[in-house]
Amino acid sequence: MSMDGNRYDAIVVGARCAGSPTAMLLARRGHKVLVVDRATFPSDTLSTHIVHPPGVASLRRWGLLERLTATGCPPIHTYAFDFGPFVISGAPGTDDTPVAYGPRRTVLDKLLVDAAAEAGAEVREGFTVEEVLIEDGRVTGVRGHGRRGGTVTERARVVVGADGRHSLVARAVRPEQYHEKPQLLAGYYTYWSGLPMEGRFETWIRPDRGFAAWPTNDDLTVVICGWPFAEFEANKDDIEGNYLKMLELAPEFADRVRAATREARYVGTAVLNYFRRPYGPGWALVGDAGYNKDFITGHGIHDAFRDAELCATAMDEALSGASAFETAMGRYQATRDQRVLPMYELTTQLAMLEPPPLELRHLLAAANGNQEAMDGFARVIAGVTSPAEYFSEESVGRILATR
Ligand SMILES: Cc1cc2nc3c(=O)[nH]c(=O)nc-3n(C[C@H](O)[C@H](O)[C@H](O)COP(=O)(O)OP(=O)(O)OC[C@H]3O[C@@H](n4cnc5c(N)ncnc54)[C@H](O)[C@@H]3O)c2cc1C
């Protein structure tokens, strides 16, 4: 029993990239945590899964990286961006964390759930939250059911919505939304065997089209294709035809895919772009529940990891009485927003699949062949370097001067 009579200090709804790390970090700090998910693990979810070096660094900090590498998931040391006339190819990481990984969500999410349980969080899989309890304007718990048995009520000092883009917790607490943008891109992906990537994450940028490929577990390669959201409905009738037609825009890659074998069905979607205020009386939001941007830059997983760390730190301060809840959680929101806003702007611009603005084309053409500048661009897309820094006057001047 926690101090004020609630059964738990925190109930976390959702146990994937945001929820399990939040539960794990809170439990490691001695808090009594329940984490629930209507899914059971291992299980897949609608998402590709490039984990850029900052996400890999989180896993290492948490002591989980060796478990990931033990699954045989191949490291990715090079990012290549094929703009048609030229290819920018660079290293995405830092000396500490030089590589990315592309683990299947079946692998990654299971590893995270297990780590939460090992840290002492109570994990309830196959448990669906039906209702968020609100009393006198304050969230006090959840009501839900397991796969067998009736409805149960659980109470906590804080309920954390880590329940993804369609968050029930967010719907219940109706947080302020800001910087909203509509769906911009529709993306579809599948898995191929016999399509070796040699440690490379490759992307192709073409008018109104973009696609990417990288290696994952079990000697498979994921290939995702995106077209403008305006074509979402029309292209639904022939996903495969549109997907394969797009690959022909890079004939050498299309040949490689023709020689490979498709091992899964095509799946995909389009997502909204938004920030939500991530806290209020008795509640918090982490991961996609609190902030989402298009998947074209593949930042959702490491963003969720970062949120989990920021949110768990703030909640620990609040739960232990070191700071007022409002103060600590206000810091979480401010830090999150400040870190992600420049990448949010770049991502939503790229997701429109419009030709890059003239200045950007000039810059990338100048970066072509300049290894330091190409590494710099790879690190921007990887979330290692802020776009604000790479596109600063000084940095642009340096790249243009060495042309
Ligand atoms: C097509 C696509 C491709 C993507 N590619 C990448 C990529 O390459 N790299 C990357 O970093 N990101 C990618 N993303 C984004 C990434 O998937 C998300 O940012 C990430 O999954 C967010 O994790 P999360 O834990 O917040 O939410 P989720 O992974 O959505 O997990 C939410 C969990 O909450 C549970 N839940 C929801 N409601 C309830 C309820 N009422 N009761 C109990 N449980 C509930 C769900 O079962 C689910 O397990 C992609 C997204 C899409 C759609």
Side-chain angles (χ1 to χ4, degrees), residues 47-61:
S47 165
T48 60
H49 32 74
I50 184 76
V51 181
H52 295 299
V56 175
S58 295
L59 292 172
R60 201 189 46 232
R61 248 190 332 274

Side-chain angles (χ1 to χ4, degrees), residues 14 16-18 37-38 47-50 105 127 129 288 298 300-301:
R16 292 190 189 268
C17 299
D37 201 302
R38 65 178 164 222
S47 165
T48 60
H49 32 74
I50 184 76
R105 294 292 298 263
F127 185 91
V129 173
D288 285 2
I301 295 171

Side-chain angles (χ1 to χ4, degrees), residues 185-188 227-237 239 268-270:
L185 171 148
Y188 288 87
W227 45 74
F229 184 66
E231 297 178 38
F232 187 49
E233 288 302 328
N235 289 0
K236 264 185 185 165
D237 291 342
I239 302 292
T269 191

Side-chain angles (χ1 to χ4, degrees), residues 236-252:
K236 264 185 185 165
D237 291 342
D238 184 13
I239 302 292
E240 179 168 38
N242 282 293
Y243 177 104
L244 294 175
K245 191 168 145 205
M246 187 182 310
L247 302 185
E248 296 299 335
L249 297 169
E252 280 178 26

Side-chain angles (χ1 to χ4, degrees), residues 137-198:
R138 182 179 183 81
V139 171
T140 55
V142 298
R143 188 168 292 134
H145 62 273
R147 290 195 175 165
R148 280 182 293 274
T151 300
V152 295
T153 299
E154 300 290 2
R155 291 182 185 277
R157 294 166 71 186
V158 184
V159 170
V160 181
D163 46 350
R165 287 182 286 122
H166 307 292
S167 169
L168 176 88
V169 177
R171 277 205 305 280
V173 300
R174 304 165 65 113
E176 176 204 347
Q177 284 211 166
Y178 48 102
H179 301 318
E180 289 168 78
K181 296 188 186 181
Q183 293 108 323
L184 301 168
L185 171 148
Y188 288 87
Y189 64 95
T190 187
Y191 295 91
W192 301 83
S193 61
L195 182 56
M197 295 301 295
E198 315 296 352

Side-chain angles (χ1 to χ4, degrees), residues 249-333:
L249 297 169
E252 280 178 26
F253 183 64
D255 283 347
R256 281 162 63 193
V257 173
R258 258 191 292 280
T261 306
R262 182 163 64 81
E263 302 288 356
R265 65 196 178 96
Y266 293 92
V267 287
T269 191
V271 302
L272 292 165
N273 302 277
Y274 55 79
F275 287 69
R276 292 180 180 143
R277 178 184 155 99
Y279 68 96
W283 60 270
L285 299 175
V286 286
D288 285 2
Y291 157 71
N292 194 50
K293 64 174 177 269
D294 194 276
F295 45 81
I296 192 166
T297 44
H299 276 227
I301 295 171
H302 81 227
D303 281 347
F305 288 177
R306 184 215 45 243
D307 278 10
E309 239 164 7
L310 291 172
C311 181
T313 303
M315 277 179 59
D316 175 49
E317 283 175 28
L319 289 167
S320 63
S323 296
F325 183 77
E326 278 278 326
T327 313
M329 297 301 279
R331 259 198 306 272
Y332 157 46
Q333 178 178 15

